[in-house]
């Protein structure tokens, strides 16, 4: 009977250890969950801030390029009128220039 009791005790200790390990691991995962989510959220916030900053710079550059295009178009139109007034017929504009003059895009 002593050997059977010892075997049962050993098996009980092993099973108890396994359940304790499993419970500890599950508890650690549950506690790490909010911290991991918080970390992911912080990374997402930084990414959104960086993208917003880049978009702001790109919008500024696009606006500047559009202003430059309008200024160049105005200047070339002025030169073409001056050439016509002097009796010189300028070369026809590129089709993309004609499209821009027609649509503004």
């Amino acid at each position: 009977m002593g050997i059977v009791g010892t075997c049962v005790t050993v098996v009980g200790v092993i099973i108890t250890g396994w359940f304790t390990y499993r419970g500890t691991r599950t508890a650690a995962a549950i506690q790490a969950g909010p911290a991991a989510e918080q970390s992911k959220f912080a990374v997402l916030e930084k990414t959104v801030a960086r993208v917003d900053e880049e978009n702001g710079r790109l919008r500024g550059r696009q606006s500047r390029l559009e202003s430059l295009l309008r200024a160049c178009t105005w200047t070339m139109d002025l030169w073409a009128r001056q050439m016509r007034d002097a009796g010189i017929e300028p070369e026809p504009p590129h089709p993309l220039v004609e499209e821009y003059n027609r649509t503004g895009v």
Side-chain angles (χ1 to χ4, degrees):
M1 229 25 188
I3 294 177
V4 173
T6 303
C7 289
V8 169
T9 302
V10 169
V11 169
V13 168
I14 291 173
I15 290 174
T16 302
W18 182 75
F19 278 118
T20 303
Y21 165 75
R22 209 173 125 207
T24 303
R25 196 176 80 194
T26 303
I30 290 171
Q31 284 182 341
E37 291 298 318
Q38 189 71 5
S39 174
K40 289 178 186 176
F41 184 69
V43 169
L44 179 63
E45 282 182 322
K46 288 180 183 178
T47 302
V48 167
R50 181 182 53 82
V51 168
D52 283 347
E53 180 184 331
E54 288 175 2
N55 283 345
R57 283 194 311 248
L58 289 173
R59 284 188 197 111
R61 289 182 68 186
Q62 181 178 358
S63 175
R64 177 74 178 133
L65 284 172
E66 288 172 352
S67 298
L68 179 63
L69 178 61
R70 281 191 297 274
C72 288
T73 302
W74 181 84
T75 302
M76 287 183 279
D77 185 52
L78 177 67
W79 291 343
R81 273 189 267 126
Q82 287 175 346
M83 289 175 71
R84 285 190 186 102
D85 290 346
I88 304 168
E89 188 59 35
E91 290 290 322
H94 188 277
L96 289 176
V97 174
E98 285 183 6
E99 180 183 347
Y100 176 77
N101 287 337
R102 192 176 62 253
T103 64
V105 180

